[in-house]
Amino acid sequence: MSTTATRVIALDGPSGSGKSTVARRLAGRLGWRYVDTGAIYRAATLAVLRRGVDLADDEAIAATVAGVRLELSTDPARPTTLLDGEDVSTLIRSPAVTAAVSAVSAVPAVRARLVGLQRELAGQDGAVLEGRDIGTTVVPDAPVKVFLDASPEIRAGRRAGDADTGVTAAEGNLVDRVATDLARRDSLDSSRATSPLVAADDAVHLDSGDLDADAVVERVLGLARAAGLVA
Ligand code: DC
């Protein structure tokens, strides 16, 4: 059995890499909590947009996020995000939130607050956390760290089929526009000063262009067994 104190699988990667599907399936298979950290940044962003805060005003963003209550259901069968008690699970996938979330999540005071919440949500009994900085910052001692990626073309193709793309205009080729928006967000998320999107040194890299979601789940379960996290 495990001698490791931290029962966490850390799953990081860019948008469209397939993290959510894999993380939910993994948590379901293991009976563990599922913590979608992107959903928390999205709910914080919704709060900022609703207050009409200037996205260039870090202090106002931080003050707004400090003043709201953010909650997450960690049941992988029914992940739900609450903002001041309101179920905002659908609203946080809107194009407006997707377009603004990189700006809000780059504010260091926002990250400091939300990382604390994410660690609480991880609990002690087993959790799969997905995000951008789980293996580097949120749970750096996670016994299993995976960085999931795929080519920009594959990721854009996937995201074009989702509701929460960052593009709204009806003109032009959807996949092209999603690809442009993904490149913008990748660049913002990777270049911010505080815990950017970057693979931990000890993360195992998997490419979801080569493996389907179930194959990725099996690979990660194999890593979890090898680490003594699960039987
Ligand atoms: O996973 P997602 O696309 O729902 O995440 C939305 C945004 O939140 C993403 O563009 C970057 C940010 N994010 C982050 O900065 N750190 C995390 N751990 C998770 C998400």
Side-chain angles (χ1 to χ4, degrees):
M1 215 24 230
S2 170
T3 53
T4 334
T6 308
R7 291 170 62 78
V8 164
I9 294 175
L11 194 54
D12 288 303
S15 184
S17 60
K19 295 187 306 287
S20 300
T21 305
V22 168
R24 281 181 70 173
R25 285 187 198 174
L26 269 172
R29 285 271 295 268
L30 295 168
W32 285 11
R33 292 163 178 249
Y34 163 59
V35 182
D36 175 0
T37 62
I40 305 175
Y41 285 101
R42 286 173 177 274
T45 302
L46 180 62
V48 166
L49 291 177
R50 280 180 168 176
R51 302 275 163 96
V53 173
D54 177 357
L55 290 177
D57 186 344
D58 283 12
E59 273 186 32
I61 290 175
T64 301
V65 175
V68 295
R69 190 157 45 92
L70 299 167
E71 293 163 286
L72 200 70
S73 142
T74 55
D75 176 355
R78 283 188 73 248
T80 308
T81 310
L82 302 181
L83 170 60
D84 287 330
E86 174 192 351
D87 183 344
V88 293
S89 309
T90 304
L91 282 175
I92 59 170
R93 306 290 162 193
S94 71
V97 169
T98 299
V101 65
S102 290
V104 172
S105 60
V107 176
V110 168
R111 300 202 73 82
R113 165 146 197 248
L114 299 195
V115 165
L117 173 62
Q118 290 159 21
R119 288 184 181 140
E120 278 173 33
L121 287 167
Q124 307 294 320
D125 304 332
V128 181
L129 271 71
E130 66 147 303
R132 305 290 192 286
D133 60 340
I134 309 303
T136 54
T137 305
V138 182
V139 193
D141 62 344
V144 173
K145 299 181 189 180
V146 172
F147 193 86
L148 192 60
D149 208 346
S151 70
E153 295 74 24
I154 287 182
R155 294 193 290 116
R158 280 188 193 134
R159 295 283 298 148
D162 291 345
D164 57 335
T165 56
V167 296
T168 46
E171 299 156 15
N173 178 291
L174 179 65
V175 176
D176 286 351
R177 284 181 294 120
V178 171
T180 304
D181 183 65
L182 270 188
R184 178 187 70 84
R185 287 208 290 142
D186 285 356
S187 159
L188 288 172
D189 294 344
S190 305
S191 62
R192 67 174 173 239
T194 309
S195 45
L197 166 65
V198 60
D201 289 343
D202 50 351
V204 173
H205 291 247
L206 296 177
D207 191 318
S208 65
D210 301 335
L211 302 165
D212 68 17
D214 282 330
V216 175
V217 167
E218 290 307 325
R219 290 284 283 272
V220 181
L221 284 173
L223 296 170
R225 284 185 205 105
L229 253 187
V230 298

Coordinates of all heavy atoms in Angstrom, one line a residue, residues 12 15 19-20 36-39 41-42 93 98 101-102 105-106 111 118 130-134 138 159 164 185 189 192 195, ligand 1:
D12 N -1.8 18.2 -15.9 CA -1.7 19.5 -16.5 C -1.6 19.4 -18.0 O -1.3 18.4 -18.6 CB -0.4 20.2 -15.9 CG -0.6 20.6 -14.5 OD1 -1.5 21.3 -14.1 OD2 0.3 20.1 -13.7
S15 N -5.3 23.9 -23.2 CA -6.7 23.8 -23.6 C -6.8 22.8 -24.8 O -6.0 22.9 -25.7 CB -7.2 25.2 -23.9 OG -8.5 25.1 -24.3
K19 N -7.6 17.0 -21.1 CA -7.5 16.8 -19.6 C -8.8 16.5 -18.9 O -8.8 15.6 -18.0 CB -6.9 18.1 -19.0 CG -5.6 18.5 -19.3 CD -5.2 19.7 -18.5 CE -6.2 20.9 -18.4 NZ -6.3 21.7 -19.7
S20 N -9.8 17.2 -19.2 CA -11.1 17.1 -18.5 C -11.7 15.7 -18.6 O -12.1 15.1 -17.6 CB -12.1 18.1 -18.9 OG -11.6 19.4 -18.7
D36 N -11.6 20.4 -11.0 CA -11.4 21.1 -12.2 C -11.0 22.6 -11.8 O -11.8 23.4 -11.6 CB -12.7 21.1 -13.0 CG -12.6 22.0 -14.3 OD1 -11.5 22.6 -14.6 OD2 -13.6 22.0 -15.0
T37 N -9.7 22.8 -11.8 CA -9.2 24.1 -11.3 C -9.5 25.2 -12.3 O -9.7 26.4 -11.9 CB -7.7 24.1 -11.0 OG1 -7.0 23.8 -12.2 CG2 -7.4 23.1 -9.9
G38 N -9.6 24.9 -13.6 CA -10.0 25.9 -14.6 C -11.4 26.4 -14.3 O -11.6 27.6 -14.5
A39 N -12.3 25.5 -13.8 CA -13.6 26.0 -13.6 C -13.6 27.1 -12.5 O -14.4 28.0 -12.5 CB -14.5 24.8 -13.1
Y41 N -11.1 29.2 -11.9 CA -10.7 30.5 -12.5 C -11.8 31.1 -13.4 O -11.9 32.3 -13.4 CB -9.4 30.2 -13.3 CG -8.2 30.1 -12.4 CD1 -7.6 28.8 -12.2 CD2 -7.6 31.2 -11.8 CE1 -6.5 28.7 -11.3 CE2 -6.5 31.0 -11.0 CZ -6.0 29.8 -10.8 OH -4.9 29.6 -9.9
R42 N -12.5 30.2 -14.0 CA -13.6 30.7 -14.8 C -14.7 31.4 -14.0 O -15.3 32.4 -14.3 CB -14.2 29.6 -15.6 CG -13.4 29.1 -16.8 CD -13.9 27.9 -17.5 NE -13.1 27.5 -18.6 CZ -13.3 28.0 -19.8 NH1 -14.2 28.9 -20.1 NH2 -12.5 27.6 -20.8
R93 N -18.8 28.7 -19.1 CA -18.3 28.2 -20.4 C -18.6 29.2 -21.5 O -18.4 28.9 -22.7 CB -18.9 26.8 -20.7 CG -18.7 25.8 -19.6 CD -17.3 25.3 -19.5 NE -17.1 24.6 -18.3 CZ -15.9 24.3 -17.8 NH1 -14.8 24.6 -18.4 NH2 -15.8 23.7 -16.6
T98 N -14.4 32.8 -21.5 CA -13.2 32.1 -22.1 C -12.2 33.2 -22.5 O -11.0 33.0 -22.4 CB -13.7 31.2 -23.2 OG1 -14.5 30.2 -22.7 CG2 -12.4 30.5 -23.9
V101 N -10.5 34.9 -19.2 CA -10.0 34.1 -18.1 C -8.5 34.2 -18.0 O -7.9 34.1 -16.9 CB -10.5 32.6 -18.1 CG1 -10.0 31.9 -19.3 CG2 -10.2 31.9 -16.9
S102 N -7.8 34.3 -19.1 CA -6.3 34.3 -19.0 C -5.9 35.6 -18.3 O -4.9 35.6 -17.5 CB -5.7 34.3 -20.4 OG -5.8 33.0 -20.9
S105 N -6.7 35.1 -14.5 CA -5.9 34.1 -13.8 C -4.4 34.4 -13.8 O -3.6 33.7 -13.2 CB -6.1 32.7 -14.5 OG -5.7 32.7 -15.9
A106 N -4.0 35.5 -14.5 CA -2.6 36.0 -14.4 C -2.3 36.8 -13.2 O -1.2 37.1 -12.9 CB -2.3 36.7 -15.7
R111 N -4.4 34.1 -8.0 CA -3.8 32.7 -7.9 C -3.6 32.3 -6.5 O -3.8 31.2 -6.1 CB -2.5 32.6 -8.7 CG -2.6 33.0 -10.2 CD -1.5 32.4 -11.0 NE -1.7 31.0 -11.2 CZ -2.5 30.4 -12.1 NH1 -3.2 31.1 -12.9 NH2 -2.5 29.1 -12.1
Q118 N -7.9 25.3 -3.9 CA -7.7 24.0 -4.7 C -7.1 23.0 -3.8 O -7.4 21.8 -3.8 CB -6.8 24.3 -5.9 CG -7.6 25.1 -7.0 CD -6.6 25.8 -7.9 OE1 -5.5 25.5 -8.1 NE2 -7.1 26.9 -8.6
E130 N -7.0 18.7 -12.2 CA -6.5 19.1 -13.6 C -6.4 20.6 -13.7 O -7.1 21.4 -13.0 CB -7.5 18.6 -14.6 CG -8.9 19.3 -14.5 CD -9.6 19.5 -15.9 OE1 -8.9 20.1 -16.8 OE2 -10.7 19.0 -16.0
G131 N -5.4 21.1 -14.4 CA -5.2 22.5 -14.6 C -3.9 22.8 -15.4 O -3.6 22.1 -16.4
R132 N -3.2 23.8 -15.0 CA -2.0 24.3 -15.7 C -0.8 24.2 -14.8 O 0.3 24.1 -15.3 CB -2.2 25.7 -16.1 CG -3.4 26.0 -17.0 CD -3.3 25.4 -18.3 NE -4.3 25.8 -19.3 CZ -5.6 25.5 -19.3 NH1 -6.0 24.7 -18.3 NH2 -6.4 25.9 -20.2
D133 N -1.0 24.3 -13.5 CA 0.1 24.4 -12.5 C 0.0 23.5 -11.4 O 0.5 23.7 -10.3 CB 0.2 25.9 -12.0 CG -1.1 26.3 -11.3 OD1 -2.1 25.6 -11.5 OD2 -1.0 27.2 -10.5
I134 N -0.7 22.4 -11.6 CA -0.9 21.4 -10.4 C 0.4 20.8 -10.0 O 0.7 20.8 -8.8 CB -2.0 20.3 -10.8 CG1 -3.2 20.9 -11.4 CG2 -2.3 19.5 -9.6 CD1 -4.0 21.9 -10.6
V138 N 0.5 23.8 -7.2 CA -0.7 23.5 -6.3 C -0.3 22.3 -5.5 O -0.5 22.3 -4.2 CB -2.0 23.2 -7.1 CG1 -3.1 22.9 -6.2 CG2 -2.3 24.4 -8.0
R159 N -11.6 21.7 -29.7 CA -12.3 22.8 -29.0 C -13.4 23.4 -29.8 O -14.3 24.0 -29.3 CB -11.2 23.9 -28.6 CG -10.2 23.4 -27.6 CD -10.7 23.4 -26.2 NE -11.1 24.7 -25.8 CZ -12.1 25.0 -25.0 NH1 -12.8 24.0 -24.5 NH2 -12.4 26.2 -24.7
D164 N -17.5 26.2 -25.1 CA -16.9 27.3 -24.5 C -15.6 27.8 -25.2 O -14.6 28.1 -24.7 CB -16.5 26.9 -23.1 CG -15.6 25.6 -23.0 OD1 -15.7 24.8 -24.0 OD2 -14.8 25.5 -22.1
R185 N -4.4 32.2 -26.0 CA -4.5 31.8 -24.6 C -3.3 31.0 -24.1 O -2.7 31.2 -23.0 CB -5.8 31.0 -24.3 CG -7.0 31.9 -24.4 CD -8.1 31.4 -23.5 NE -8.7 30.2 -24.1 CZ -9.0 29.1 -23.3 NH1 -8.9 29.1 -22.0 NH2 -9.6 28.1 -23.9
D189 N -1.1 32.1 -21.0 CA -1.0 31.2 -19.9 C 0.5 30.7 -19.7 O 0.9 30.5 -18.6 CB -1.9 30.0 -20.1 CG -3.4 30.3 -20.1 OD1 -3.7 31.4 -19.6 OD2 -4.2 29.5 -20.6
R192 N 2.9 34.1 -18.4 CA 2.6 34.9 -17.2 C 3.7 34.6 -16.1 O 4.3 33.6 -16.1 CB 1.2 34.6 -16.6 CG 1.1 33.3 -16.1 CD -0.3 33.0 -15.4 NE -0.4 31.6 -15.0 CZ -1.4 30.8 -15.4 NH1 -2.3 31.3 -16.2 NH2 -1.3 29.6 -15.1
S195 N 3.3 31.2 -11.7 CA 3.0 29.8 -12.1 C 2.4 29.6 -13.5 O 1.2 29.3 -13.7 CB 2.1 29.1 -11.1 OG 1.0 29.9 -10.6
Ligands
DC1 O1 -9.0 24.4 -18.3 P1 -9.7 25.6 -18.7 O2 -9.6 26.0 -20.2 O3 -11.2 25.6 -18.3 O4 -9.0 26.8 -17.9 C1 -9.4 28.2 -18.1 C2 -8.3 29.1 -17.9 O5 -7.9 29.1 -16.6 C3 -7.0 28.8 -18.7 O6 -7.0 29.6 -19.9 C4 -5.9 29.2 -17.8 C5 -6.5 29.3 -16.4 N1 -6.0 28.2 -15.5 C6 -4.9 28.5 -14.8 O7 -4.3 29.6 -15.0 N2 -4.4 27.6 -13.9 C7 -5.1 26.5 -13.7 N3 -4.6 25.6 -12.8 C8 -6.2 26.1 -14.4 C9 -6.7 27.1 -15.4

